[in-house]
Amino acid sequence: EAQVTQNPRYLITVTGKKLTVTCSQNMNHEYMSWYRQDPGLGLRQIYYSMNVEVTDKGDVPEGYKVSRKEKRNFPLILESPSPNQTSLYFCASSPTGTGGHEQYFGPGTRLTVT
Amino acid sequence: SQELEQSPQSLIVQEGKNLTINCTSSKTLYGLYWYKQKYGEGLIFLMMLQKGGEEKSHEKITAKLDEKKQQSSLHITASQPSHAGIYLCGADKGDGNNRLAFGKGNQVVVIP
């Protein structure tokens, strides 16, 4: 089944403890992206990747890192999480980075930082 | 930056009634995507519109793109409880990087 998977689905952590949220897609998509969704602010892009080894900042990249060493994986790294990073996170992928294609979204990771 | 305003913010309809929700952009629309989200869950793709005047339908859902008004509408005919959820519109920012700006969503409640 074609899908985007994220792990973990739920995570509660403490301020400053490094964490990684994994994202994997099995559709051989070139483009991958991370979003966060917050009440009243909607969905905002954190980072995106046009292809392997190519990543760029989205609208809210502060406090996050990403890497794209393989086509299928695009982990999101929080080096020192803070409470304002409590949010619902979505990974998405698309066949290409040139637009004109839907983005396929993962099921979401609900992160709470205390 | 591009902003998408979705209206109405929330809508309660009786099962069997029709409903329309709108997405208006502050800038030219290069591509408009409609997604549906159950609360706290992932986004499910509904439709993509790319050309002015384009209209697409899937089952009981029809989406239209009015390029001049920089607006898209989503119409549901004879609503069912399965249509309940949050509808999000996303617009291609037009920077060639497949980046989308999203509206804050229309919450739809269908009363049996």
Side-chain angles (χ1 to χ4, degrees):
Chain A
E1 181 189 352
Q3 59 183 350
V4 178
T5 56
Q6 295 179 226
N7 282 293
R9 293 288 315 278
Y10 302 90
L11 180 60
I12 300 175
T13 190
V14 296
T15 299
K17 186 176 182 182
K18 181 180 178 179
L19 67 91
T20 299
V21 183
T22 65
C23 172
S24 183
Q25 49 93 5
N26 62 1
M27 296 169 278
N28 201 36
H29 284 173
E30 292 185 351
Y31 183 93
M32 296 186 75
S33 180
W34 276 103
Y35 297 87
R36 61 178 289 175
Q37 186 177 38
D38 303 286
L41 296 176
L43 209 60
R44 295 176 293 168
Q45 190 178 48
I46 304 171
Y47 268 94
Y48 65 99
S49 169
M50 299 286 275
N51 212 327
V52 176
E53 301 293 358
V54 181
T55 64
D56 210 341
K57 296 177 180 178
D59 299 313
V60 288
E62 296 78 20
Y64 304 95
K65 284 175 58 177
V66 292
S67 69
R68 186 91 183 274
K69 296 177 182 176
E70 309 167 276
K71 202 171 191 178
R72 63 184 294 127
N73 296 322
F74 190 44
L76 180 69
I77 303 157
L78 284 73
E79 294 270 2
S80 183
S82 63
N84 64 13
Q85 292 178 297
T86 292
S87 186
L88 179 59
Y89 291 86
F90 290 103
C91 179
S93 73
S94 186
T96 72
T98 54
H101 298 277
E102 69 184 89
Q103 293 191 19
Y104 295 75
F105 282 78
T109 295
R110 188 169 291 280
L111 172 66
T112 302
V113 184
T114 61
Chain B
S1 62
Q2 184 167 22
E3 292 186 4
L4 296 176
E5 183 174 340
Q6 294 188 240
S7 61
Q9 190 174 359
S10 62
L11 187 60
I12 301 173
V13 296
Q14 192 140 27
E15 183 176 358
K17 298 292 186 184
N18 301 338
L19 68 97
T20 299
I21 54 180
N22 297 296
C23 173
T24 304
S25 173
S26 61
K27 294 187 176 182
T28 301
L29 284 170
Y30 295 101
L32 194 289
Y33 301 78
W34 281 102
Y35 287 86
K36 181 186 173 187
Q37 183 183 25
K38 292 283 189 181
Y39 180 76
E41 297 182 8
L43 280 68
I44 298 169
F45 173 73
L46 296 175
M47 273 171 274
M48 174 177 69
L49 304 166
Q50 290 193 288
K51 302 172 187 176
E54 189 171 12
E55 179 175 323
K56 287 187 178 178
S57 294
H58 177 66
E59 297 181 342
K60 295 185 178 182
I61 301 176
T62 299
K64 299 178 186 179
L65 181 61
D66 187 328
E67 201 172 52
K68 286 184 180 178
K69 291 184 180 178
Q70 297 177 174
Q71 182 179 77
S72 177
S73 61
L74 190 96
H75 182 80
I76 299 176
T77 302
S79 59
Q80 300 168 354
S82 60
H83 289 126
I86 300 171
Y87 290 81
L88 293 167
C89 66
D92 191 327
K93 290 189 175 185
D95 61 3
N97 290 328
N98 198 16
R99 298 184 59 201
L100 300 182
F102 281 90
K104 294 178 182 176
N106 305 90
Q107 183 172 26
V108 172
V109 175
V110 180
I111 301 173

